Amino acid sequence: MIYEQDQIKRIAEKARRFILENHLAEEFIERLSQSGYKGSPIPKMEEIVDNGCLREELFCFLCSKNPIFQNAEQERKGDLLIKDLERIGRIPRQIKGSDMEQTAWEVADLLKELDYFKYAEYMKCMDDPADPVRRIYMDLKVPEKRMELADYLLEFTDTEYMEKIRSVAAKLEDMDSKVCQQAGKKEDLRRR
């Protein structure tokens, strides 16, 4: 799964260039228009790549077009782009990775249980389950938003999820101390 929004932007730009280079833009937009998006503005490529259902439309479109390329280089580029699109929403069977990635999944699960409306703030229409987790992950990178989430979760400590909430809130607070320690080390290095 891809967590970083910068990577999403790079893949979106790669998709945009690929579609333009191969003169597929009109055909792709026509496909979007016919598949239930009639009357809606055509989203930017970054929005398409960042949304599960739209990303699936792009994925299927590219899969149908890639075998017809007569240029081996274009076919190779198409294959790489298809693999990138697949990785974005692929939900790992076991969440391994950084503390922040694991915590993003835990926060998402808690929000679903405690306040689905709050969880829905991270959703867009037609998302797949990985998309809101990525947005939570991006919020966890911002100290103020991370603390807001910790405070929000702590409001529910009188529920059956008390232990899990405290555990996740402690992780969120611990991230702040790690960030402060890292910032202090960087400052010390600059002074030298």
Side-chain angles (χ1 to χ4, degrees):
M1 181 177 154
I2 292 177
Y3 290 88
E4 296 290 338
Q5 200 62 32
D6 288 345
Q7 289 177 290
I8 299 292
K9 288 178 184 178
R10 281 195 295 274
I11 293 169
E13 183 53 34
K14 189 175 169 182
R16 187 180 168 286
R17 276 194 318 264
F18 182 82
I19 286 175
L20 288 174
E21 285 172 6
N22 292 288
H23 309 287
L24 298 170
E26 185 176 347
E27 194 174 344
F28 178 63
I29 289 171
E30 182 67 27
R31 179 181 176 133
L32 277 180
S33 296
Q34 291 175 354
S35 62
Y37 303 102
K38 258 188 179 150
S40 299
I42 298 298
K44 294 178 182 174
M45 188 56 74
E46 187 177 335
E47 294 172 54
I48 291 170
V49 172
D50 191 39
N51 181 277
C53 190
L54 295 172
R55 186 171 52 248
E56 184 69 21
E57 284 288 337
L58 176 60
F59 177 84
C60 292
F61 177 76
L62 292 173
C63 285
S64 71
K65 293 298 172 191
N66 209 40
I68 64 172
F69 291 127
Q70 294 178 3
N71 180 331
E73 179 62 19
Q74 288 306 90
E75 189 174 343
R76 186 187 67 76
K77 284 182 179 180
D79 284 339
L80 292 173
L81 180 55
I82 288 167
K83 286 177 183 165
D84 283 344
L85 291 170
E86 258 183 333
R87 283 185 341 165
I88 292 172
R90 184 182 305 138
I91 298 174
R93 289 188 183 156
Q94 190 174 12
I95 307 300
K96 295 184 224 173
S98 73
D99 288 341
M100 201 172 291
E101 291 168 1
Q102 292 175 4
T103 305
W105 283 96
E106 291 175 31
V107 169
D109 289 342
L110 268 174
L111 288 176
K112 282 188 230 177
E113 294 295 326
L114 299 170
D115 184 354
Y116 205 85
F117 288 110
K118 181 71 173 171
Y119 174 73
E121 291 175 15
Y122 290 97
M123 297 171 67
K124 293 180 183 174
C125 195
M126 300 176 292
D127 267 347
D128 69 22
D131 295 326
V133 174
R134 183 177 45 261
R135 294 182 194 111
I136 290 169
Y137 172 86
M138 294 306 293
D139 272 4
L140 295 182
K141 293 178 78 172
V142 179
E144 295 81 21
K145 291 183 178 185
R146 187 169 51 243
M147 292 317 301
E148 282 177 24
L149 269 171
D151 291 342
Y152 184 79
L153 291 172
L154 287 170
E155 291 176 16
F156 294 91
T157 52
D158 60 345
T159 66
E160 63 192 85
Y161 301 98
M162 179 178 69
E163 291 303 316
K164 190 171 182 180
I165 291 168
R166 286 186 177 160
S167 170
V168 170
K171 286 180 184 181
L172 294 173
E173 291 167 2
D174 189 42
M175 283 179 201
D176 274 343
S177 64
K178 286 180 184 176
V179 169
C180 290
Q181 287 173 355
Q182 288 173 348
K185 288 177 186 176
K186 286 180 185 177
E187 189 61 35
D188 289 344
L189 289 173
R190 284 188 207 137
R191 289 182 189 161
R192 292 181 188 171

